[in-house]
Amino acid sequence: MRYHCIIDAYSEDIIRQMEELYAFKTAFLQEAEEGVSYVLCRNRTVVERLGRRISGSAVAIIAEDYSPESVLEALGKETDLEDIYIFGSGICGTELSVRLAARMKGSSVAAVHGLEWKEHVTVKKMVYASHMEGTFRMKKGPYCISLAKGMDRQELEHGTFHIMKEMQCTGLPESVVSRKTTANEAAGGLDEAKVVIAAGRGIRNKENADYLRETAKALGGELGVSRSAAMNAWAPMNRMIGVSGAMLQPDICITAGVSGAAAFYAGIEKSKFIVAINTDGQAPIMKKADVAVADDFVPVVKALRELAER
Ligand SMILES: Cc1cc2nc3c(=O)[nH]c(=O)nc-3n(C[C@H](O)[C@H](O)[C@H](O)COP(=O)(O)OP(=O)(O)OC[C@H]3O[C@@H](n4cnc5c(N)ncnc54)[C@H](O)[C@@H]3O)c2cc1C
């Protein structure tokens, strides 16, 4: 079995991504045949600057602006139907792995943390809000997987990639009629924050979300939101907590205006200490929290902010 890693060099998280890929390769693919690393990047210099490698050889897939369609066009030309393609954790890796498999009529599984490939390709991932480990047999190659967030990391081997080929991405395919780029606010370490303020629909508007973000910063933490708050665009989607977003384990999580639906709660249940602020003393979150404050979040958060700034 041969495998290839795909590295998203547009990402600010590139070293973490590469270290996770390297640890995965060491744990599960020691006896497999090493393929090449495909590096998605703006130019050749980016690959050369990486200077720390996962495999000896790289194919640089080059485009000034990242677009999944043109990357998939280039990757599709390279894909061998028998091989495993391993993408990094994160939105880009997940999207590309699923779309490449669909394009090449193979199989894909996202957020994988284990792999066996003796007779069949079998992968493991967490399911049911991380309460269970699922084992999935992948039926058809190419086998496209993306890694789970927060996997083990392994320091990279030193050395440079030998760039064996450069592929310039052509423009967008005709099927894309227009394209608008929206700046993606950097995740800012929500995943690793020790203090998180989680804001829900009860905070009512974006101004309050901004106030809560500043309060979180004053406490040395980060703002996360429920799906309702993210859908109202009070914070970017990459701030969403829960089964469809980030699964966190901070020291302290303070929820404000969150009811505590199961899909949300799964994302904070590993917190060491949970404080819930909700006007409804009967909301589900109030029974699950270590401290429940039955009040409007505004005066409570204001008092907390004053304390933090003092
Ligand atoms: C397949 C699926 C996946 C999902 N994935 C996710 C996910 O990953 N993350 C997620 O969050 N949701 C997810 N959901 C949605 C989830 O089920 C809930 O609908 C959502 O979490 C509710 O968000 P909320 O608590 O902000 O809003 P609500 O449930 O509307 O709660 C608002 C709360 O604010 C309180 N409140 C109102 N005013 C104030 C005030 N002034 N001060 C204090 N409290 C106040 C209210 O009493 C209420 O309890 C998913 C749903 C499905 C079906």
Side-chain angles (χ1 to χ4, degrees):
M1 181 59 79
R2 192 166 50 154
Y3 68 91
H4 312 271
C5 295
I6 293 90
I7 299 162
D8 166 21
Y10 295 92
S11 155
E12 287 169 13
D13 247 2
I14 181 157
I15 295 301
R16 178 169 85 159
Q17 199 190 124
M18 287 174 72
E19 287 180 347
E20 287 175 355
L21 284 164
Y22 190 44
F24 189 83
K25 163 188 149 166
T26 310
F28 304 107
L29 291 156
Q30 291 273 22
E31 289 162 33
E33 186 190 336
E34 181 181 284
V36 297
S37 295
Y38 291 96
V39 187
L40 318 179
C41 57
R42 287 210 166 80
N43 53 53
R44 186 189 172 101
T45 326
V46 173
V47 189
E48 284 165 349
R49 264 201 226 124
L50 283 176
R52 289 142 61 96
R53 60 192 166 84
I54 295 176
S55 62
S57 303
V59 172
I61 298 186
I62 297 172
E64 186 49 39
D65 289 320
Y66 170 77
S67 113
E69 289 77 18
S70 41
V71 166
L72 285 165
E73 195 69 34
L75 263 181
K77 288 185 192 138
E78 291 281 299
T79 309
D80 188 316
L81 301 188
E82 301 291 314
D83 291 358
I84 303 179
Y85 290 84
I86 309 169
F87 294 76
S89 60
I91 293 171
C92 168
T94 299
E95 177 180 15
L96 291 177
S97 63
V98 173
R99 290 181 67 175
L100 182 67
R103 219 168 236 254
M104 306 310 292
K105 306 205 175 350
S107 349
S108 71
V109 180
V112 163
H113 65 255
L115 180 143
E116 272 180 30
W117 53 275
K118 289 286 180 262
E119 271 183 50
H120 309 285
V121 176
T122 309
V123 292
K124 289 185 190 301
K125 68 174 282 180
M126 297 311 288
V127 293
Y128 293 108
S130 294
H131 289 292
M132 248 186 186
E133 183 182 63
T135 305
F136 298 85
R137 185 173 142 195
M138 298 181 77
K139 287 197 175 146
K140 271 180 81 192
Y143 306 96
C144 303
I145 61 172
S146 67
L147 297 191
K149 270 190 200 165
M151 296 265 307
D152 286 344
R153 291 160 68 167
Q154 184 172 335
E155 207 172 310
L156 296 161
E157 275 177 26
H158 283 280
T160 48
F161 284 114
H162 156 63
I163 304 176
M164 50 184 275
K165 186 156 72 167
E166 279 182 37
M167 296 176 78
Q168 291 287 341
C169 286
T170 47
L172 290 171
E174 279 174 16
S175 54
V176 180
V177 187
S178 69
R179 180 166 173 250
K180 185 178 155 203
T181 306
T182 310
N184 188 15
E185 193 186 277
L190 177 62
D191 285 334
E192 281 158 29
K194 296 282 175 222
V195 179
V196 169
I197 294 186
R201 195 201 303 266
I203 67 155
R204 294 188 301 271
N205 55 46
K206 186 165 183 333
E207 288 67 41
N208 284 333
D210 292 341
Y211 183 76
L212 287 167
R213 182 182 307 105
E214 286 158 21
T215 308
K217 290 279 177 213
L219 293 167
E222 296 289 339
L223 177 75
V225 291
S226 71
R227 190 167 83 168
S228 313
M231 296 309 266
N232 276 305
W234 298 339
M237 289 301 281
N238 64 6
R239 292 274 153 180
M240 185 166 71
I241 300 171
V243 288
S244 325
M247 304 293 272
L248 308 177
Q249 32 193 332
D251 290 343
I252 302 174
C253 178
I254 303 165
T255 72
V258 168
S259 61
F264 167 84
Y265 186 69
I268 63 158
E269 69 180 336
K270 289 194 178 147
S271 307
K272 288 200 184 125
F273 198 82
I274 299 176
V275 181
I277 312 166
N278 196 309
T279 40
D280 177 4
Q282 300 305 314
I285 192 74
M286 303 296 260
K287 294 183 188 73
K288 294 171 182 159
D290 297 289
V291 171
V293 183
D295 203 344
D296 181 353
F297 80 97
V298 176
V300 182
V301 172
K302 239 183 184 170
L304 186 65
R305 171 92 166 253
E306 277 167 20
L307 273 177
E309 284 173 351
R310 238 186 271 161

Coordinates of all heavy atoms in Angstrom, one line a residue, residues 114-162:
G114 N -6.9 6.7 13.5 CA -6.2 5.4 13.5 C -6.4 4.8 12.1 O -7.4 5.1 11.5
L115 N -5.5 3.9 11.7 CA -5.6 3.3 10.4 C -4.9 1.9 10.4 O -3.9 1.7 11.0 CB -5.0 4.2 9.3 CG -5.0 3.8 7.9 CD1 -5.2 5.0 7.0 CD2 -3.7 3.1 7.5
E116 N -5.6 0.9 9.7 CA -5.0 -0.4 9.4 C -5.1 -0.6 7.9 O -6.2 -0.3 7.4 CB -5.7 -1.5 10.2 CG -5.1 -1.7 11.6 CD -5.8 -2.8 12.3 OE1 -6.3 -3.7 11.7 OE2 -5.9 -2.6 13.6
W117 N -4.2 -1.3 7.3 CA -4.3 -1.4 5.9 C -3.9 -2.8 5.4 O -3.6 -3.0 4.2 CB -3.5 -0.4 5.2 CG -2.0 -0.3 5.6 CD1 -1.6 0.3 6.7 CD2 -0.9 -1.0 5.1 NE1 -0.2 0.1 6.9 CE2 0.2 -0.7 5.9 CE3 -0.8 -1.9 4.0 CZ2 1.4 -1.3 5.6 CZ3 0.5 -2.4 3.7 CH2 1.6 -2.1 4.5
K118 N -3.9 -3.8 6.3 CA -3.4 -5.1 5.9 C -4.2 -5.8 4.7 O -3.8 -5.9 3.6 CB -3.4 -6.1 7.1 CG -2.2 -5.7 8.1 CD -0.9 -6.0 7.5 CE 0.2 -5.6 8.5 NZ 0.9 -4.4 8.2
E119 N -5.5 -6.2 5.1 CA -6.3 -6.7 4.0 C -7.2 -5.7 3.3 O -7.3 -5.6 2.1 CB -7.2 -7.8 4.6 CG -6.5 -9.2 4.5 CD -7.5 -10.2 5.1 OE1 -8.6 -10.3 4.6 OE2 -7.0 -11.0 6.0
H120 N -7.8 -4.9 4.2 CA -8.6 -3.8 3.7 C -8.1 -2.5 4.4 O -7.4 -2.6 5.4 CB -10.1 -4.0 4.2 CG -10.6 -5.3 3.8 ND1 -11.0 -5.6 2.6 CD2 -10.9 -6.4 4.6 CE1 -11.4 -6.9 2.6 NE2 -11.4 -7.3 3.8
V121 N -8.5 -1.4 3.9 CA -8.2 -0.1 4.6 C -9.3 0.1 5.6 O -10.5 0.2 5.3 CB -8.1 1.0 3.6 CG1 -7.8 2.3 4.4 CG2 -6.9 0.8 2.6
T122 N -8.9 0.2 6.9 CA -9.9 0.3 8.0 C -9.4 1.5 8.8 O -8.2 1.6 9.1 CB -9.9 -0.9 8.9 OG1 -10.0 -2.0 8.1 CG2 -11.0 -0.8 9.9
V123 N -10.3 2.4 9.1 CA -9.9 3.6 9.9 C -10.7 3.8 11.1 O -11.8 3.2 11.2 CB -10.0 4.9 9.0 CG1 -9.0 5.0 7.9 CG2 -11.4 5.1 8.5
K124 N -10.2 4.5 12.1 CA -10.9 4.8 13.3 C -11.2 6.2 13.5 O -10.3 7.1 13.2 CB -10.1 4.3 14.5 CG -10.0 2.8 14.6 CD -9.2 2.4 15.9 CE -8.9 0.9 15.9 NZ -10.0 0.0 15.8
K125 N -12.4 6.6 14.0 CA -12.6 8.0 14.3 C -13.6 8.0 15.5 O -14.3 7.0 15.8 CB -13.2 8.7 13.1 CG -14.6 8.3 12.7 CD -15.1 9.2 11.6 CE -15.6 10.5 12.1 NZ -16.1 11.4 11.1
M126 N -13.7 9.1 16.2 CA -14.6 9.2 17.3 C -16.0 9.6 16.8 O -16.1 10.4 15.8 CB -14.2 10.3 18.3 CG -12.8 10.1 19.0 SD -12.7 8.4 19.7 CE -13.8 8.6 21.1
V127 N -17.0 9.0 17.3 CA -18.4 9.2 16.9 C -19.3 9.5 18.1 O -18.8 9.3 19.3 CB -19.0 8.0 16.1 CG1 -18.2 7.8 14.8 CG2 -18.9 6.7 16.9
Y128 N -20.5 9.8 17.9 CA -21.5 10.1 18.9 C -20.9 11.1 19.9 O -20.7 10.8 21.1 CB -22.0 8.8 19.6 CG -22.8 8.0 18.7 CD1 -22.4 6.8 18.2 CD2 -24.1 8.4 18.3 CE1 -23.1 6.0 17.3 CE2 -24.9 7.7 17.4 CZ -24.4 6.5 17.0 OH -25.1 5.8 16.1
A129 N -20.6 12.3 19.4 CA -20.0 13.3 20.2 C -18.8 12.9 21.1 O -18.7 13.2 22.3 CB -21.1 13.9 21.1
S130 N -18.0 12.1 20.4 CA -16.7 11.6 21.0 C -16.9 10.7 22.2 O -16.0 10.4 23.0 CB -15.9 12.8 21.5 OG -15.4 13.5 20.4
H131 N -18.1 10.0 22.3 CA -18.3 9.1 23.4 C -18.0 7.7 22.9 O -17.9 6.8 23.8 CB -19.8 9.1 23.8 CG -20.1 10.4 24.6 ND1 -19.6 10.6 25.8 CD2 -20.9 11.4 24.3 CE1 -20.1 11.8 26.2 NE2 -20.9 12.3 25.3
M132 N -17.8 7.4 21.7 CA -17.5 6.1 21.1 C -16.5 6.2 20.0 O -16.4 7.2 19.3 CB -18.8 5.6 20.5 CG -19.4 4.5 21.2 SD -20.8 4.0 20.2 CE -21.5 2.8 21.2
E133 N -15.7 5.1 19.9 CA -14.8 5.0 18.8 C -15.4 4.1 17.7 O -15.8 3.0 18.0 CB -13.5 4.4 19.3 CG -12.4 4.4 18.2 CD -11.1 3.8 18.6 OE1 -11.1 2.6 19.0 OE2 -10.1 4.5 18.7
G134 N -15.5 4.7 16.5 CA -16.1 3.9 15.4 C -15.0 3.4 14.5 O -13.9 4.0 14.3
T135 N -15.1 2.1 14.0 CA -14.2 1.6 13.1 C -14.9 1.4 11.7 O -15.9 0.8 11.6 CB -13.7 0.2 13.5 OG1 -13.2 0.4 14.9 CG2 -12.6 -0.4 12.6
F136 N -14.3 2.0 10.7 CA -14.9 2.0 9.4 C -14.0 1.3 8.3 O -12.8 1.6 8.2 CB -15.2 3.4 8.9 CG -16.1 4.2 9.8 CD1 -15.6 4.8 11.0 CD2 -17.5 4.2 9.6 CE1 -16.5 5.5 11.8 CE2 -18.3 4.9 10.4 CZ -17.8 5.5 11.5
R137 N -14.6 0.4 7.6 CA -13.8 -0.2 6.5 C -14.1 0.6 5.2 O -15.2 0.9 4.8 CB -14.3 -1.6 6.2 CG -13.5 -2.4 5.2 CD -13.9 -3.8 5.1 NE -13.9 -4.2 3.8 CZ -14.5 -5.3 3.3 NH1 -15.1 -6.1 4.2 NH2 -14.4 -5.6 2.1
M138 N -13.0 1.1 4.6 CA -13.2 1.9 3.4 C -13.3 0.9 2.2 O -12.4 0.1 2.0 CB -12.0 2.9 3.3 CG -12.0 3.8 4.5 SD -10.7 5.1 4.4 CE -11.3 6.2 3.2
K139 N -14.3 1.1 1.4 CA -14.6 0.1 0.4 C -13.7 0.3 -0.9 O -13.4 -0.7 -1.5 CB -16.0 0.1 0.0 CG -16.9 -0.5 1.2 CD -18.2 -0.8 0.7 CE -19.0 -1.5 1.8 NZ -20.4 -1.2 1.8
K140 N -13.5 1.5 -1.3 CA -12.9 1.7 -2.7 C -11.8 2.7 -2.6 O -12.0 3.7 -2.0 CB -14.0 2.2 -3.6 CG -14.7 1.0 -4.3 CD -15.7 1.6 -5.3 CE -15.1 2.0 -6.6 NZ -16.0 2.8 -7.4
G141 N -10.7 2.5 -3.3 CA -9.7 3.5 -3.5 C -10.1 4.5 -4.6 O -10.9 4.2 -5.4
P142 N -9.5 5.7 -4.6 CA -8.5 6.1 -3.6 C -9.1 6.4 -2.3 O -10.2 6.8 -2.2 CB -8.0 7.5 -4.3 CG -9.2 7.9 -5.1 CD -9.8 6.7 -5.6
Y143 N -8.3 6.0 -1.2 CA -8.8 6.1 0.1 C -8.4 7.5 0.6 O -7.2 7.8 0.9 CB -8.1 5.0 1.0 CG -8.4 3.7 0.4 CD1 -7.4 3.1 -0.4 CD2 -9.6 3.0 0.6 CE1 -7.6 1.8 -1.0 CE2 -9.8 1.7 0.0 CZ -8.8 1.2 -0.8 OH -9.0 0.0 -1.4
C144 N -9.3 8.4 0.8 CA -9.0 9.8 1.2 C -9.4 10.1 2.6 O -10.6 9.9 2.9 CB -9.7 10.8 0.2 SG -9.3 10.5 -1.5
I145 N -8.5 10.4 3.4 CA -8.8 10.6 4.8 C -8.3 12.0 5.3 O -7.3 12.5 4.7 CB -8.3 9.5 5.8 CG1 -6.8 9.5 5.8 CG2 -8.9 8.2 5.4 CD1 -6.2 8.5 6.8
S146 N -9.0 12.6 6.3 CA -8.4 13.8 6.9 C -8.2 13.4 8.4 O -8.9 12.6 8.9 CB -9.3 15.0 6.8 OG -10.5 14.8 7.5
L147 N -7.2 14.0 9.0 CA -6.9 13.6 10.4 C -7.8 14.4 11.4 O -8.3 15.5 11.1 CB -5.4 14.0 10.7 CG -4.4 13.2 9.9 CD1 -3.0 13.4 10.5 CD2 -4.7 11.7 9.8
A148 N -8.0 13.8 12.6 CA -8.7 14.4 13.6 C -7.9 15.5 14.2 O -6.7 15.5 14.2 CB -9.1 13.4 14.7
K149 N -8.6 16.5 14.7 CA -7.9 17.6 15.4 C -7.3 17.2 16.7 O -7.9 16.3 17.3 CB -9.0 18.7 15.8 CG -9.2 19.8 14.7 CD -10.0 20.9 15.3 CE -10.6 21.7 14.3 NZ -11.7 22.5 14.8
G150 N -6.2 17.7 17.1 CA -5.6 17.4 18.4 C -5.0 16.1 18.5 O -4.8 15.5 19.5
M151 N -4.5 15.5 17.3 CA -3.8 14.2 17.3 C -2.4 14.4 18.0 O -2.0 15.5 18.1 CB -3.6 13.8 15.9 CG -4.8 13.6 15.0 SD -5.2 11.8 15.0 CE -3.7 11.1 14.5
D152 N -1.8 13.3 18.3 CA -0.4 13.4 18.7 C 0.4 14.1 17.7 O 0.1 14.0 16.5 CB 0.2 12.0 18.9 CG -0.4 11.3 20.2 OD1 -1.0 12.1 21.0 OD2 -0.3 10.1 20.3
R153 N 1.5 14.7 18.2 CA 2.4 15.4 17.2 C 3.8 14.8 17.4 O 4.1 14.4 18.5 CB 2.4 16.9 17.6 CG 1.1 17.6 17.2 CD 1.0 18.9 17.9 NE 1.9 19.9 17.5 CZ 1.7 21.2 17.8 NH1 0.7 21.6 18.5 NH2 2.6 22.0 17.4
Q154 N 4.5 14.8 16.3 CA 5.9 14.3 16.4 C 6.8 15.3 15.7 O 6.5 15.7 14.6 CB 6.0 12.9 15.7 CG 7.4 12.3 15.9 CD 7.3 10.9 15.3 OE1 6.3 10.2 15.3 NE2 8.5 10.4 14.9
E155 N 7.9 15.6 16.4 CA 8.8 16.6 15.8 C 9.3 16.1 14.5 O 9.6 14.9 14.3 CB 10.0 16.8 16.7 CG 10.6 18.2 16.5 CD 11.7 18.5 17.6 OE1 11.4 18.3 18.8 OE2 12.7 18.9 17.2
L156 N 9.4 17.0 13.5 CA 9.7 16.6 12.1 C 11.2 16.3 11.9 O 12.0 16.9 12.6 CB 9.3 17.8 11.2 CG 7.8 18.1 11.2 CD1 7.6 19.5 10.6 CD2 7.1 17.1 10.4
E157 N 11.4 15.5 10.9 CA 12.8 15.2 10.6 C 13.3 16.5 9.9 O 12.6 17.2 9.2 CB 12.8 14.1 9.5 CG 12.8 12.8 10.1 CD 12.8 11.7 9.0 OE1 13.3 12.0 7.8 OE2 12.3 10.6 9.2
H158 N 14.6 16.8 10.2 CA 15.1 18.0 9.5 C 15.5 17.6 8.1 O 15.7 16.4 7.7 CB 16.3 18.5 10.3 CG 15.8 19.3 11.4 ND1 15.4 20.6 11.3 CD2 15.6 18.9 12.7 CE1 14.9 21.0 12.5 NE2 15.1 20.0 13.4
G159 N 15.7 18.5 7.2 CA 16.0 18.3 5.8 C 15.0 19.0 5.0 O 14.0 19.6 5.5
T160 N 15.3 19.1 3.7 CA 14.4 19.8 2.8 C 13.7 18.9 1.9 O 14.2 17.8 1.6 CB 15.2 20.9 2.0 OG1 16.3 20.2 1.4 CG2 15.6 22.0 2.8
F161 N 12.6 19.3 1.4 CA 11.9 18.5 0.4 C 12.7 18.6 -0.9 O 13.2 19.7 -1.3 CB 10.5 19.1 0.1 CG 9.5 18.9 1.1 CD1 9.0 19.9 1.9 CD2 9.0 17.6 1.3 CE1 8.0 19.7 2.8 CE2 8.1 17.4 2.3 CZ 7.6 18.4 3.0
H162 N 12.7 17.5 -1.6 CA 13.2 17.5 -3.0 C 12.0 17.8 -3.9 O 11.0 17.0 -3.9 CB 13.9 16.2 -3.4 CG 13.9 15.9 -4.8 ND1 14.5 16.7 -5.7 CD2 13.3 14.9 -5.6 CE1 14.4 16.2 -6.9 NE2 13.6 15.1 -6.9

